Amino acid sequence: MASIHHCIKSGKKGNARRHSRYIGREGSHSNREDLIHTGYGNMPEWAKDNPAYFWSMADKHERANGAAYREHEVALPNELNTVQLIELAERLVRNLVGSKPYQYAIHASEGSIGKIQNPHIHLMYSDRVPDGIDRAPNQTFSRFNPKRPEAGGWRKDSGGKTPLQLCQEVTATRKLAADIQNQVLAEYGHDARVDHRSLRERGIERRAERHLGPHFIEGMGDSEKAVYAVHRSAAAADTRSP
């Protein structure tokens, strides 16, 4: 069933390359079997075919208190097959990231309860906006110079915005992601829809589902998991948009 989950995160300097390995299932994460597709784009010339190098340079040269990357983690409808999920992911990338450097991965792990696949996308991207000026890696991540752009780094898209503006952007972004998912679901003949609004905003009197966590689930018996899965499915059906 289609469900909404859209988490927007920031990653500190020193964590970008590590996180790219995680979403790409590289190194110590290569034993996981849930990776179904990866992609990247909009890299500068010095990292054109090497996103790992881009994130390493962000870790090295981004300012100490700055975000080396930002990320959209979005649940994807499990009504869609692999090809359709990739198409949806590419649309999300184009609309949520634009011209900024990015790397993404689609994971489709099997849920611990109900054994239903939980496809989702990790879309990590730089908040710095390319401007067509060639720069070395260290200059790319230096402070933007509005009077002489060629003397500074890429401008950060979040710079100079008020907390209210950033909050409004988050709401608009979540709505955009939901609209794109619904568009793809409709194109492929599925009735399910997602809604970016909270249960309260939708007028639904039900508590949001509590995240159980892997340790709690491990302690549940098979019969308990089956009962929980039935209740979860029924609750989701009641709150699904028409």
Side-chain angles (χ1 to χ4, degrees):
M1 69 192 66
S3 62
I4 187 67
H5 170 80
H6 186 167
C7 184
I8 302 174
K9 310 174 184 178
S10 293
K12 295 181 180 180
K13 176 179 179 177
N15 294 324
R17 177 62 185 118
R18 182 186 309 148
H19 192 65
S20 75
R21 284 196 294 265
Y22 168 75
I23 70 169
R25 298 309 194 225
E26 301 174 19
S28 61
H29 309 288
S30 60
N31 60 337
R32 299 185 180 224
E33 299 179 350
D34 58 349
L35 178 66
I36 63 175
H37 187 73
T38 61
Y40 64 88
N42 298 337
M43 294 290 163
E45 192 62 32
W46 50 263
K48 186 175 181 180
D49 298 312
N50 192 349
Y53 184 56
F54 178 85
W55 301 122
S56 295
M57 292 297 98
D59 282 334
K60 182 177 181 179
H61 297 295
E62 188 60 74
R63 66 177 186 268
N65 62 341
Y69 71 93
R70 300 191 187 277
E71 180 185 23
H72 294 282
E73 182 181 324
V74 187
L76 304 178
N78 60 18
E79 287 85 353
L80 303 178
N81 62 34
T82 298
V83 173
Q84 295 163 357
L85 285 172
I86 294 172
E87 179 184 339
L88 170 56
E90 290 288 344
R91 291 195 200 182
L92 289 171
V93 169
R94 289 194 299 271
N95 284 274
L96 299 182
V97 172
S99 63
K100 300 172 189 174
Y102 69 86
Q103 178 183 351
Y104 78 86
I106 303 174
H107 299 164
S109 56
E110 187 179 82
S112 300
I113 296 178
K115 302 302 181 183
I116 298 172
Q117 272 203 332
N118 298 314
H120 56 277
I121 180 174
H122 290 272
L123 170 56
M124 62 181 298
Y125 63 98
S126 172
D127 200 33
R128 293 185 177 271
V129 183
D131 55 13
I133 299 174
D134 289 333
R135 294 177 175 85
N138 61 326
Q139 187 184 358
T140 298
F141 299 100
S142 64
R143 187 177 297 276
F144 175 65
N145 187 328
K147 294 183 178 179
R148 295 180 57 223
E150 71 282 358
W154 283 350
R155 176 181 60 84
K156 279 206 164 186
D157 193 34
S158 58
K161 295 180 181 178
T162 67
L164 176 60
Q165 288 175 317
L166 293 173
C167 182
Q168 291 172 335
E169 279 191 7
V170 168
T171 301
T173 298
R174 286 170 56 84
K175 182 181 185 303
L176 175 61
D179 289 344
I180 293 170
Q181 291 184 70
N182 290 334
Q183 181 183 46
V184 174
L185 283 165
E187 288 175 4
Y188 286 105
H190 296 289
D191 294 329
R193 297 291 184 269
V194 298
D195 195 317
H196 71 288
R197 297 173 298 170
S198 67
L199 295 176
R200 178 179 296 178
E201 290 171 328
R202 294 160 62 187
I204 297 172
E205 297 298 329
R206 178 175 71 80
R207 286 187 179 182
E209 182 178 310
R210 181 169 64 93
H211 178 67
L212 299 180
H215 296 297
F216 186 91
I217 293 173
E218 286 176 4
M220 296 173 67
D222 291 340
S223 60
E224 290 178 294
K225 292 180 181 179
V227 170
Y228 191 89
V230 169
H231 284 290
R232 171 189 281 177
S233 298
D238 290 340
T239 58
R240 188 182 302 172
S241 299

